[in-house]
Amino acid sequence: MPKFSPLKNAIIWLVVLAGFVLALPNLFSKEELAEWPAWVPQRQVPLGLDLQGGSDFTLKLVRDDIISERLETTIDAIGKALRDADIAYTGLSGSGQAIQFRVRDATKVSAARDALRELTAPVDSAGLIRNQVQELVSEGAEQGEAVHLRLTDEGIDLRVASAVTEAIEVVRRRIGEVAFAEPSIRRSGNDRLVVQVPGLDDPQRLKDLLSQRAELTFRWLDPSMPVQQAVDTKPPAASEVLYSLDDPPVPYLVERRAFVAVRDVVEAQPDYDPTTGEPVVSFKLDADALARISPLVEADSRRQFAIVLDGQVVSTPALADAISGDTGRISGNLSEDGAKNLAALLRAGPLPATLTVVEERTVGPGVGTDAIASAWKAGMIAALAVAACMIAFYGFFGAIAVVAVIVNVVLIIAALSLIGATLTLPGIAGIILTIGVAVDSNVLIYERLREEARGAGPLRKALDTGFSRVFSSIVDANLTMAIAGAILFYFGSGAFRGFAVTLAIGSVTTILTAHSLTRRLVRGWYRRRRPLRLPRGIRTGFFSEADIRFMAIRNPVFILMAALSLASLILLVSLGPNFGADFKGGSIIELRAKSGVADSADLRARLDELNLGEVQVQELGTERDVLVRVPSQEAGDNAEQTAIGLVRAELEDQYTFRRVEVVGPAVSGELIRASSLGIGAAVLAILLYVWIRFEWRFALGAMIATLHDVLLTIGFLVVTRTEFNLATIAALLTIVCFSLNDTVVVYDRIRENYVRYRKMSLSVLIDASINQTLSRTVLTAVTTILALAALYLFGNGLIRSFSMTLLFGVVVGTLSSIYIAGPVLILFNRRGGRARGGQDSASGDDKPANTATGTA
């Protein structure tokens, strides 16, 4: 074997050493790491919420709040501008985004428009590129003295984006009131926030805090008319009718303008009324508010006002009863928890607009602990099974492969630690799957070495030739996985981004360890032993002399598999997939009985009384655990949270809520679109890569084989009524990668044989290529199936359905690389041959076209 460059050797071994150093901190606790020297790496892989427990909320800012407030503010500004310009007007009002008024003197319409020029002038929008946005525009031509204006969508978008930025800090302060852990808060699109809080004990309280705007105002009661008259007719222009929190609600006529707002409050604490003992909220006012209120208290201490919270009247005390000096007290049938929450809201400040929870994924700490234990068990069993299989088939070389796979896993952990990527339960599944798939590269190497060693040349040359020729196949196979991982990360969401990250990183580290590291380990063995032949422990030679005529029965098998694909398509259209909450909305709740066993019949009866639709209850794991599925309420995103609140109130005394997933209808529709785009983009990107690396016949053959595998897997999901969710999308993309991996390896050998045997019949050439790669095909399928079987048998519910889908896909993908990819290549080559003047052989098979681009 050639002597390697000292620089390359140094880089390889430094990368391996750095991987172990960076991964090492994950074996110790944070307390132990605190005692390490500061210069030693101490970064650990952050665990996802599904492993450590916590809540993941997607909050959507209510656009109507922004429009309503912007409309009111703009109307006030228009009125002031016209008054300052001494222009008489009437009928100034608005609805939605439209504003209209009439100028009393029609000759002053142009002057009125000039007076509003400042309001209609473009404003800067902050962003990567500063654009001019016009928030208010004139609408329609002048019609006498009437003026029509409209708030633009672009202007509302600008206000929404600004409100989201402001909401981030308010949300952070509110989370600090109920959780000690540092939350993760990030924008999602123009009007959403994604909030992740690890280790959250009371997610319902946090949701209550985040879903309230907390716009607290003190407003005078309006005694100018009886409140019932205002309800029946029309209240004065400067007042409005608001209702109390009582049941039934009581109406009050209050002034629109507030004399104290929540921004005037500098401190708030839950307290008790010294006379009644009822829970209240004590607060302090800032100096400006105190200067405004003190004269009012002195002038009329018994004057009543309304304490209004988010448009509802909390209480109507007298000034002297509620405010004394610089302190005040808010009362009004508050519970202890209600007083604590209101005090927390006042301390954190109001939101610029209401936030609605459109997606929720909450995992209790016990679920995370169980998930880690089951994933660790499944991973160890999968690793041991794969290692035993490799050593049994390859002996000493199998041990080298095991070392390479161990280093591979260490490098994945090191990369996750270095970049701070979160490790989720699907991410662990990705690592376990990488263990099975990464072995494929070692199998490719050893099978190629075995073939080269059968020649007449020295072993040294055979080893060198084998490693050189197999490199392109390893790169092709693993880059397809990396492409799928990158696209899944871009289009995916939630915990399955963790799967995409480990898949992509694992593909890159596999190229490094399976080829570069294995080559150096084999070189070390050769330099020490100076052998004349490969170790006798290699036991995959039973396919060496195989001459199986796969293409002899290609027509009936192809027709059968095409019929199965067509049947899968018909089932998909007629029955449709069993969409989970991710794609049709609704809620999934995992419950555990606090004592005794979970009574499914009693749960169904109690939940049916809540009128939430067709609620499903199924046993889960042990007799204490059940899974409740609540259908989408189809009445907006708030309806989903209302349903969860009803279920929690009904069951929380007897059951622990271990896991809650809520997906609103808007989010589920977006997930469907994103998933469809993700699968389509991944397939197209991978096929484009195959097209570039090979030629159009190979790319089309790979596409048809892949489409067949996806259709058959979807048919399997439809027939078994397996839930179609985000895990299914990840599984389908992985099947695409595995199938293409298999097909690319076969095509790589076919392309190589094109150059060697130009006069051989194409069907015979394909048979020879498949036989030459058959040991690799069988062994890769076996090791991958072993890893997936461990996931299925010892993983938890989500991972089990994921691994079951992959098991089916691996089997189908292995078959399609032989009986779909091969026949399709013959079909396209025959058509191409006829187009060039006819190169068909007497038997009907094409002779290969001279379009090969080189050896593998």
Side-chain angles (χ1 to χ4, degrees):
M1 299 181 70
K3 185 177 181 180
F4 297 120
S5 163
L7 178 60
K8 288 184 178 180
N9 275 334
I11 292 175
I12 294 295
W13 292 113
L14 281 176
V15 168
V16 172
L17 178 61
F20 277 91
V21 171
L22 291 172
L24 185 62
N26 293 282
L27 300 177
F28 298 89
S29 65
K30 293 185 180 296
E31 293 74 16
E32 292 172 325
L33 290 176
E35 301 177 0
W36 288 22
W39 54 270
V40 178
Q42 300 180 18
R43 298 185 66 173
Q44 295 178 310
V45 178
L47 297 181
L49 299 184
D50 54 352
L51 294 178
Q52 64 173 320
S55 296
D56 186 330
F57 302 111
T58 299
L59 306 169
K60 182 179 181 181
L61 187 138
V62 177
R63 187 183 179 90
D64 289 345
D65 284 1
I66 300 296
I67 294 175
S68 177
E69 290 190 3
R70 188 61 187 153
L71 182 69
E72 184 177 346
T73 302
T74 304
I75 288 175
D76 290 342
I78 290 173
K80 183 178 184 303
L82 293 176
R83 290 191 297 271
D84 291 344
D86 196 23
I87 298 174
Y89 63 90
T90 184
L92 177 58
S93 61
S95 176
Q97 294 176 226
I99 302 172
Q100 59 278 328
F101 65 91
R102 305 180 74 86
V103 180
R104 293 185 183 275
D105 186 350
T107 62
K108 292 188 176 183
V109 171
S110 296
R113 293 189 182 276
D114 291 338
L116 302 180
R117 193 178 303 280
E118 184 176 346
L119 296 178
T120 57
V123 298
D124 284 337
S125 64
L128 296 177
I129 301 177
R130 283 193 175 273
N131 296 317
Q132 293 285 311
V133 174
Q134 198 168 2
E135 295 190 89
L136 184 68
V137 296
S138 297
E139 192 172 54
E142 295 182 9
Q143 298 178 359
E145 65 276 13
V147 178
H148 296 273
L149 303 166
R150 179 175 57 84
L151 297 172
T152 65
D153 291 335
E154 294 79 7
I156 298 299
D157 289 340
L158 179 62
R159 297 287 173 169
V160 168
S162 176
V164 170
T165 301
E166 182 182 347
I168 290 176
E169 293 306 317
V170 178
V171 168
R172 192 181 301 279
R173 291 195 295 268
R174 290 189 182 183
I175 293 174
E177 297 288 341
V178 298
F180 296 104
E182 180 66 24
S184 170
I185 306 174
R186 60 179 175 85
R187 299 181 71 124
S188 178
N190 188 57
D191 61 350
R192 294 188 187 182
L193 293 176
V194 176
V195 179
Q196 294 179 331
V197 187
L200 186 63
D201 295 328
D202 191 357
Q204 187 59 44
R205 185 187 177 198
L206 179 58
K207 282 195 299 182
D208 292 341
L209 290 179
L210 296 181
S211 61
Q212 294 186 64
R213 188 172 180 184
E215 190 64 56
L216 183 78
T217 56
F218 293 176
R219 308 194 205 175
W220 297 117
L221 293 179
D222 185 354
S224 63
M225 72 165 57
V227 65
Q228 192 58 47
Q229 181 182 347
V231 172
D232 295 338
T233 58
K234 185 179 181 181
S239 301
E240 62 180 331
V241 176
L242 298 179
Y243 291 85
S244 70
L245 297 171
D246 302 306
D247 188 16
V250 178
Y252 292 93
L253 183 62
V254 300
E255 293 184 3
R256 293 180 181 273
R257 191 174 300 276
F259 62 90
V260 170
V262 66
R263 294 167 181 81
D264 300 320
V265 177
V266 294
E267 185 179 334
Q269 296 293 336
D271 202 351
Y272 293 94
D273 191 309
T275 58
T276 64
E278 295 180 349
V280 297
V281 175
S282 297
F283 62 89
K284 286 189 176 183
L285 297 172
D286 63 18
D288 292 339
L290 188 61
R292 293 196 308 270
I293 292 177
S294 295
L296 299 175
V297 175
E298 293 176 1
D300 188 359
S301 63
R302 304 311 303 171
R303 184 176 179 182
Q304 280 189 294
F305 68 97
I307 299 177
V308 180
L309 178 65
D310 291 339
Q312 292 184 289
V313 178
V314 177
S315 61
T316 55
L319 271 176
D321 296 336
I323 299 175
S324 176
D326 65 343
T327 62
R329 186 169 60 244
I330 300 174
S331 60
N333 298 322
L334 295 174
S335 64
E336 288 190 13
D337 289 340
K340 291 180 181 178
N341 289 346
L342 180 54
L345 290 172
L346 295 181
R347 289 194 297 269
L351 288 166
T354 305
L355 294 175
T356 299
V357 180
V358 295
E359 185 178 7
E360 173 191 357
R361 300 183 191 273
T362 297
V363 178
V367 177
T369 303
D370 294 346
I372 292 176
S374 62
W376 176 256
K377 183 178 181 181
M380 289 301 298
I381 292 174
L384 291 175
V386 171
C389 186
M390 287 299 293
I391 293 174
F393 277 103
Y394 290 111
F396 174 72
F397 274 20
I400 290 179
V402 171
V403 171
V405 170
I406 291 173
V407 173
N408 193 356
V409 173
V410 169
L411 291 180
I412 293 174
I413 300 298
L416 294 175
S417 301
L418 183 63
I419 65 178
T422 301
L423 180 63
T424 62
L425 187 58
I428 294 178
I431 294 176
I432 296 173
L433 183 61
T434 300
I435 293 174
V437 176
V439 171
D440 174 56
S441 297
N442 288 93
V443 174
L444 276 172
I445 292 171
Y446 295 157
E447 289 304 304
R448 174 62 79 168
L449 295 182
R450 187 175 56 79
E451 288 182 33
E452 298 296 335
R454 292 169 59 191
L459 180 61
R460 177 179 176 179
K461 182 179 179 181
L463 295 177
D464 182 38
T465 304
F467 274 106
S468 298
R469 287 184 172 177
V470 81
F471 181 70
S472 64
S473 296
I474 293 175
V475 171
D476 289 338
N478 284 282
L479 276 186
T480 57
M481 300 284 280
I483 291 171
I487 292 177
L488 178 60
F489 179 84
Y490 182 79
F491 287 100
S493 63
F496 279 92
R497 279 194 164 189
F499 172 78
V501 169
T502 55
L503 191 69
I505 293 175
S507 301
V508 177
T509 56
T510 296
I511 295 175
L512 174 67
T513 57
H515 188 270
S516 300
L517 181 62
T518 300
R519 189 172 190 178
R520 279 154 179 79
L521 293 175
V522 171
R523 177 177 179 270
W525 163 79
Y526 179 82
R527 290 183 64 183
R528 286 192 302 271
R529 298 291 182 87
R530 298 292 180 177
L532 299 178
R533 63 181 62 88
L534 291 177
R536 294 182 178 179
I538 297 178
R539 300 179 177 87
T540 58
F542 40 81
F543 288 122
S544 300
E545 306 299 330
D547 186 22
I548 304 174
R549 295 300 306 272
F550 293 100
M551 295 300 101
I553 58 171
R554 67 178 185 273
N555 289 334
V557 176
F558 185 86
I559 292 172
L560 174 62
M561 300 183 82
L564 290 175
S565 297
L566 180 61
S568 297
L569 186 60
I570 293 173
L571 285 172
L572 177 62
V573 174
S574 58
L575 295 180
N578 178 26
F579 283 125
D582 289 329
F583 296 134
K584 68 178 181 182
S587 308
I588 297 176
I589 309 166
E590 184 179 329
L591 301 172
R592 171 168 289 179
K594 293 182 178 180
S595 61
V597 300
D599 189 340
S600 299
D602 176 65
L603 280 171
R604 289 190 189 93
R606 294 168 65 179
L607 294 175
D608 284 344
E609 294 178 358
L610 301 178
N611 296 319
L612 300 177
E614 189 178 347
V615 178
Q616 301 176 13
V617 181
Q618 67 183 72
E619 295 181 359
L620 182 68
T622 68
E623 59 184 8
R624 294 178 57 197
D625 298 324
V626 292
L627 194 69
V628 176
R629 300 178 187 272
V630 180
S632 177
Q633 300 305 293
E634 298 180 358
D637 296 311
N638 280 324
E640 307 295 341
Q641 289 298 322
T642 301
I644 285 293
L646 292 173
V647 174
R648 190 179 290 275
E650 177 69 25
L651 303 177
E652 64 182 352
D653 290 340
Q654 296 174 273
Y655 292 89
T656 300
F657 284 66
R658 288 169 52 82
R659 177 168 66 96
V660 176
E661 294 186 10
V662 184
V663 181
V667 174
S668 62
E670 292 168 3
L671 288 176
I672 290 177
R673 289 191 294 273
S675 300
S676 302
L677 286 173
I679 291 180
V683 172
L684 288 177
I686 293 170
L687 291 177
L688 178 61
Y689 175 78
V690 175
W691 194 314
I692 293 172
R693 287 286 290 121
F694 296 90
E695 60 166 84
W696 69 268
R697 293 175 181 80
F698 291 97
L700 288 179
M703 181 179 68
I704 293 173
T706 303
L707 180 63
H708 160 270
D709 298 341
V710 171
L711 280 177
L712 247 61
T713 304
I714 292 176
F716 168 76
L717 295 173
V718 171
V719 170
T720 58
R721 305 311 293 166
T722 302
E723 187 175 286
F724 203 91
N725 50 31
L726 289 176
T728 310
I729 297 299
L732 285 174
L733 272 176
T734 308
I735 290 168
V736 168
C737 295
F738 184 90
S739 175
L740 281 170
N741 189 332
D742 240 6
T743 303
V744 163
V745 170
V746 174
Y747 276 179
D748 216 22
R749 184 58 63 92
I750 291 173
R751 186 181 62 174
E752 180 180 337
N753 288 334
Y754 262 170
V755 177
R756 289 184 178 182
Y757 313 109
R758 294 182 178 274
K759 296 184 179 181
M760 183 182 291
S761 170
L762 183 57
S763 62
V764 176
L765 186 144
I766 291 176
D767 280 337
S769 301
I770 294 173
N771 280 293
Q772 289 167 5
T773 57
L774 193 57
S775 294
R776 171 262 161 204
T777 300
V778 172
L779 191 52
T780 296
V782 168
T783 54
T784 306
I785 288 172
L786 285 175
L788 292 174
L791 277 177
Y792 178 77
L793 294 173
F794 303 102
N796 63 4
L798 183 64
I799 295 300
R800 291 192 71 185
S801 62
F802 174 76
S803 55
M804 181 180 68
T805 306
L806 282 178
L807 276 169
F808 181 85
V810 166
V811 174
V812 170
T814 302
L815 292 175
S816 71
S817 65
I818 297 174
Y819 284 111
I820 298 293
V824 167
L825 198 59
I826 292 176
L827 176 64
F828 285 139
N829 206 71
R830 177 181 296 140
R831 291 179 180 273
R834 287 174 180 168
R836 290 184 299 272
Q839 295 180 12
D840 295 352
S841 65
S843 62
D845 291 326
D846 280 358
K847 293 182 179 180
N850 296 326
T851 56
T853 58
T855 59

